[in-house]
Amino acid sequence: IIICSPSLHLFDPKYSKNRNIFFFIYFCASKLSLQQLPVITSNTIVRCRSCRTYINPFVSFLDQRRWKCNLCYRVNDVPDEFMYNPVTRSYGEPHKRPEVQNSTVEFIASSDYMLRPPQPAVYLFVLDVSHNAVESGYLNVFCQSLLDNLEKLPGDTRTRIGFVTFDSTVHFYNLQEGLSQPQMLVVSDIDDVFIPTHDNLLVNLKESKELVKDLLNALPGMFTHTRETQSALGPALQVAYKLMCPTGGRVSVFQTQLPTLGAGLLQSREDPNLRSSTKNVQHLGPATDFYKKLALDCSGQQIGVDLFLLSSQYSDLASLACVSKYSAGSVFYYPSFHHVHNTVQSQKFQKDLQRYLTRKIGFEAVMRIRCTKGLSIHTFHGNFFVRSTDLLSLANVNPDSGFAVQMSIEESLADTSLACFQAALLYTSSKGKRRIRVHTLCLPVVSQLSGVFAGADIQAITCLLANMAIDRSICSSLSDARDALVNAVVDCLMAYRANGSNIQPSGLITPAALRLFPLYVLALLKQVGALYAYTPPEAALHLNDSVIPQPPLLQLTAEKLTREGAFLMDCGSVMFLWVGKCCNETFIRDVLGYPNYASLPSNMTEIPELQTMYSERTRAFISWLLESRTFHPAFHVVKDDTSAKTSFFQHLVEDRTESAFSYYEFLLHIQQQMSK
């Protein structure tokens, strides 16, 4: 899926010499579209001889023997093999081949696309077992989740698995087939850490499955009485790198505190007395380059590192995240995690693990992006290593991976009516197959800015701005990033007023596609959510024999709340169900399972499955909201008279806070900036 939109620089004539466009790439697909994805097996993969673009629906055939590239315009010959259409089993119709009929295709790659034979899927789990980790209870959740999903790990009969645990020392586990139980090997020299044996630490999952299960059952109890409070994360990552070097694969790291021993140790940079001050925000950059250097080494050996940070204290995420950012990994953060005291985070961790362990995965991947002559790549955003100007190194890639790309218009596009972009991902599947996933997008070139504004995608623009703001906050400061977001709105609306609108009103005027742009940016400056009101069951959507209620979507302001109602707020990573003091008791009984408002507990974190119409329809609506998401949000039921409502009200972005404008005040501020 490619979501594309012009960037704000293209709107403003003062940027005419440095105009940018951008797009987002997600190599994911729904279950239905995966079934319809054309998978092409051919001895010859047809590509442009000049720019190496893959043949696609937007090329033009001059005749049956020649085709013209839609990116560099070179005329190429049609190979004899391409004259045969395997779908229709006919000859002489190259324009009907699946490569030319579908903008997304997947090729089975030949040996020409391999530097070495495809490696097996290899999974290494690196686990913090210090006192802090054991007390948090995450080991129980992790081990049980992996046990439940062990059979679902992507791979084949060659799949390999291994485990490393650490506190002030590093522990390895011999899982050789035939042993009566796993053997622990301890390395205490963390200053010169080494692998005690090169055999049987990464084992074939099929052959050693019973030993793996024994280890997972035993791990939570092995460190129950530990008094080790130190964390040698750096040395544990170093041995993980050494273990995985021969094959590459995925390293999953679970950490609960600040690393305090060995390479990569960190000191607290937080001043508890200044937690509400902007001075602590200065530490958004890493404190050491150890984790970045290690990540680059991992990337070179096709090792991706995913970090799960389950911390109840300061852990310097700004430094630790580098190990995932530059190795094409992911970061999962669970603040104040505790399996008993914070059941919301525990439930979210469990659900996230299920998705993480079972989703599809690709190894040894590279992605190249090509574009029409006259355009060039400006900036990438995401987790990767940039190998060259248009080539990303991705040790691991999965359906949740997404990348944003800014592109510059270097030459005039006046002579062409179309601009094309192609992203090609070469990867090894978990089954050991080398494949190439190709996305091609073609967009019209317009002569009037009004056409650009009409095609603007507000969600894509806001997503890119969020990426740019994060980079700005790390390189400069958080205040500069906030100012840049506001300036983006001002520049956009000023450009539209100057070029895209024939109306000169006294107030703000925005293009239809961007009418909520100021609100989206205000939500970035604050927090974001969507608010739904409880409604009678008549308002519903009927899909596939299911009844999906459609409560009205409300503005994010306290003015829309009533004590007689119940309101669902969807914030992406968290959901709140706010229940008013005078809420209908039928709703409370049939949806929440309690007789009245007073009996509702203050720490309710899920909606029970009740055999009532209201319960079924409420759960159907929430499921409908979540069906397009890969990771489930945390859930809170919030009573009107509890302290938890503070978190709920913080997400009402249209209301004024002590440190931020209301939506009305923000619009006035934008108008004032435009009149300067």
Side-chain angles (χ1 to χ4, degrees):
I1 303 166
I2 301 184
I3 307 172
C4 183
S5 180
S7 81
L8 301 178
H9 285 178
L10 186 57
F11 295 166
D12 197 331
K14 69 184 180 184
Y15 292 107
S16 59
K17 294 183 179 180
N18 185 27
R19 296 169 295 173
N20 295 335
I21 58 177
F22 69 85
F23 58 95
F24 295 88
I25 306 170
Y26 292 89
F27 286 97
C28 61
S30 66
K31 184 176 181 180
L32 178 62
S33 60
L34 275 177
Q35 293 172 349
Q36 298 173 345
L37 175 68
V39 178
I40 300 165
T41 303
S42 176
N43 293 327
T44 303
I45 298 177
V46 180
R47 303 174 65 180
C48 175
R49 293 182 61 188
S50 177
C51 68
R52 305 302 291 159
T53 293
Y54 293 83
I55 196 167
N56 59 80
F58 309 108
V59 305
S60 55
F61 284 90
L62 304 183
D63 52 48
Q64 285 193 341
R65 288 294 180 179
R66 296 182 301 158
W67 63 278
K68 185 176 182 181
C69 177
N70 54 316
L71 267 64
C72 72
Y73 311 122
R74 179 190 174 107
V75 176
N76 298 270
D77 295 331
V78 176
D80 289 338
E81 183 183 351
F82 202 76
M83 297 296 290
Y84 176 74
N85 187 343
V87 178
T88 61
R89 298 183 178 181
S90 59
Y91 190 83
E93 296 180 324
H95 61 284
K96 292 185 178 180
R97 290 265 307 193
E99 300 98 311
V100 188
Q101 293 292 313
N102 299 275
S103 58
T104 294
V105 296
E106 184 148 291
F107 297 97
I108 303 297
S110 65
S111 58
D112 296 338
Y113 293 87
M114 303 178 194
L115 294 177
R116 62 179 180 178
Q119 299 298 299
V122 182
Y123 304 106
L124 179 64
F125 297 94
V126 180
L127 307 169
D128 181 357
V129 292
S130 64
H131 174 77
N132 189 68
V134 173
E135 197 277 332
S136 74
Y138 94 87
L139 264 177
N140 301 70
V141 180
F142 164 77
C143 290
Q144 189 57 53
S145 294
L146 185 51
L147 278 168
D148 293 342
N149 295 285
L150 202 57
E151 305 282 351
K152 302 175 185 175
L153 283 176
D156 55 14
T157 56
R158 302 185 303 157
T159 300
R160 301 171 70 188
I161 193 170
F163 298 87
V164 172
T165 59
F166 65 95
D167 41 37
S168 62
T169 58
V170 182
H171 324 122
F172 301 84
Y173 297 89
N174 185 342
L175 300 170
Q176 180 182 3
E177 182 187 11
L179 289 176
S180 59
Q181 63 182 20
Q183 292 180 347
M184 178 194 285
L185 307 172
V186 180
V187 174
S188 56
D189 185 3
I190 59 172
D191 293 325
D192 188 17
V193 70
F194 61 92
I195 299 175
T197 174
H198 288 274
D199 299 323
N200 305 313
L201 298 181
L202 286 170
V203 296
N204 184 285
L205 177 57
K206 183 178 180 181
E207 296 172 356
S208 300
K209 184 174 296 182
E210 292 307 315
L211 278 176
V212 170
K213 290 182 177 179
D214 290 345
L215 177 62
L216 291 173
N217 283 315
L219 264 180
M222 289 172 59
F223 301 93
T224 302
H225 304 293
T226 183
R227 295 185 178 181
E228 290 285 357
T229 58
Q230 304 285 3
S231 172
L233 173 64
L237 288 172
Q238 288 177 324
V239 295
Y241 168 73
K242 293 177 181 179
L243 270 174
M244 300 287 279
C245 262
T247 58
R250 185 178 75 187
V251 177
S252 305
V253 182
F254 296 79
Q255 172 74 356
T256 66
Q257 61 175 314
L258 198 69
T260 55
L261 288 178
L265 69 87
L266 297 170
Q267 304 290 334
S268 176
R269 296 187 286 169
E270 181 188 51
D271 185 345
N273 298 319
L274 297 174
R275 280 181 178 164
S276 61
S277 168
T278 57
K279 292 184 179 180
N280 270 327
V281 180
Q282 296 174 0
H283 305 308
L284 294 177
T288 174
D289 61 358
F290 169 82
Y291 295 98
K292 179 178 179 179
K293 287 182 177 179
L294 182 63
L296 295 178
D297 290 339
C298 287
S299 178
Q301 298 300 322
Q302 305 299 336
I303 304 167
V305 183
D306 295 327
L307 174 64
F308 289 78
L309 187 59
L310 309 104
S311 180
S312 58
Q313 55 190 347
Y314 175 80
S315 300
D316 200 349
L317 183 57
S319 298
L320 298 181
C322 291
V323 75
S324 297
K325 178 174 177 60
Y326 297 100
S327 66
S330 303
V331 176
F332 300 83
Y333 181 45
Y334 305 89
S336 303
F337 180 89
H338 195 279
H339 73 296
V340 174
H341 304 315
N342 193 341
T343 55
V344 171
Q345 290 287 11
S346 182
Q347 291 169 3
K348 178 171 171 53
F349 177 52
Q350 185 176 8
K351 292 177 180 177
D352 288 354
L353 268 180
Q354 182 178 6
R355 166 67 182 175
Y356 174 78
L357 294 170
T358 59
R359 70 186 178 187
K360 291 180 179 294
I361 185 172
F363 302 98
E364 303 178 286
V366 289
M367 180 175 71
R368 174 162 268 129
I369 298 171
R370 299 177 174 87
C371 51
T372 293
K373 184 179 179 181
L375 303 177
S376 66
I377 294 174
H378 180 277
T379 309
F380 291 103
H381 299 278
N383 288 4
F384 46 74
F385 170 63
V386 181
R387 190 177 293 180
S388 64
T389 55
D390 62 348
L391 185 68
L392 301 184
S393 176
L394 307 169
N396 294 170
V397 66
N398 60 73
D400 305 320
S401 301
F403 310 93
V405 187
Q406 285 179 267
M407 312 193 82
S408 298
I409 303 177
E410 302 291 349
E411 302 174 13
S412 173
L413 299 178
D415 296 333
T416 181
S417 60
L418 298 172
C420 295
F421 309 88
Q422 187 176 87
L425 178 77
L426 173 64
Y427 72 99
T428 301
S429 73
S430 60
K431 304 292 186 183
K433 303 295 184 182
R434 201 70 172 148
R435 295 193 168 206
I436 309 168
R437 179 78 59 89
V438 180
H439 291 311
T440 308
L441 175 72
C442 188
L443 297 174
V445 175
V446 295
S447 58
Q448 299 295 324
L449 277 176
S450 57
V452 177
F453 281 109
D457 184 325
I458 186 174
Q459 293 183 354
I461 290 172
T462 307
C463 185
L464 178 80
L465 285 175
N467 279 279
M468 295 171 67
I470 291 170
D471 290 345
R472 178 72 70 88
S473 64
I474 294 173
C475 300
S476 182
S477 68
L478 190 61
S479 60
D480 283 351
R482 291 176 174 273
D483 291 343
L485 287 172
V486 175
N487 291 337
V489 179
V490 173
D491 290 345
C492 171
L493 299 187
M494 286 184 67
Y496 180 69
R497 186 173 65 182
N499 300 279
S501 174
N502 297 323
I503 308 172
Q504 297 294 332
S506 57
L508 286 178
I509 181 69
T510 64
L514 295 174
R515 63 186 183 280
L516 294 180
F517 186 36
L519 180 60
Y520 274 57
V521 170
L522 179 61
L524 276 183
L525 295 171
K526 294 182 174 183
Q527 297 181 61
V528 67
L531 189 64
Y532 301 90
Y534 158 72
T535 57
E538 286 76 14
L541 179 68
H542 296 265
L543 290 176
N544 301 326
D545 300 325
S546 298
V547 179
I548 311 297
Q550 295 294 290
L553 185 62
L554 305 177
Q555 294 170 271
L556 286 164
T557 171
E559 292 181 3
K560 299 298 181 181
L561 303 177
T562 65
R563 291 188 173 183
E564 294 76 27
F567 299 84
L568 179 70
M569 180 186 285
D570 182 5
C571 305
S573 61
V574 63
M575 275 188 174
F576 296 96
L577 179 61
W578 187 86
V579 183
K581 285 183 178 180
C582 304
C583 182
N584 188 313
E585 289 190 358
T586 301
F587 177 85
I588 295 175
R589 181 183 65 250
D590 290 358
V591 174
L592 302 177
Y594 289 87
N596 51 49
Y597 177 86
S599 61
L600 279 175
S602 57
N603 60 345
M604 196 170 179
T605 59
E606 60 183 354
I607 294 180
E609 293 188 16
L610 304 176
Q611 301 302 314
T612 66
M613 179 183 66
Y614 283 127
S615 174
E616 291 174 357
R617 293 196 172 188
T618 301
R619 287 184 285 111
F621 175 65
I622 294 175
S623 298
W624 179 70
L625 290 176
L626 299 179
E627 68 180 10
S628 61
R629 303 183 199 179
T630 53
F631 291 98
H632 282 218
F635 191 88
H636 299 268
V637 176
V638 180
K639 296 177 68 175
D640 187 20
D641 57 356
T642 61
S643 58
K645 72 177 184 180
T646 303
S647 298
F648 176 84
F649 278 93
Q650 286 177 347
H651 291 80
L652 297 175
V653 297
E654 294 195 28
D655 292 339
R656 194 178 193 280
T657 65
E658 293 182 2
S659 58
F661 292 126
S662 68
Y663 184 36
Y664 175 73
E665 291 170 333
F666 185 65
L667 292 176
L668 291 179
H669 176 69
I670 294 297
Q671 190 171 0
Q672 291 170 359
Q673 295 298 309
M674 291 175 63
S675 61
K676 285 184 178 180

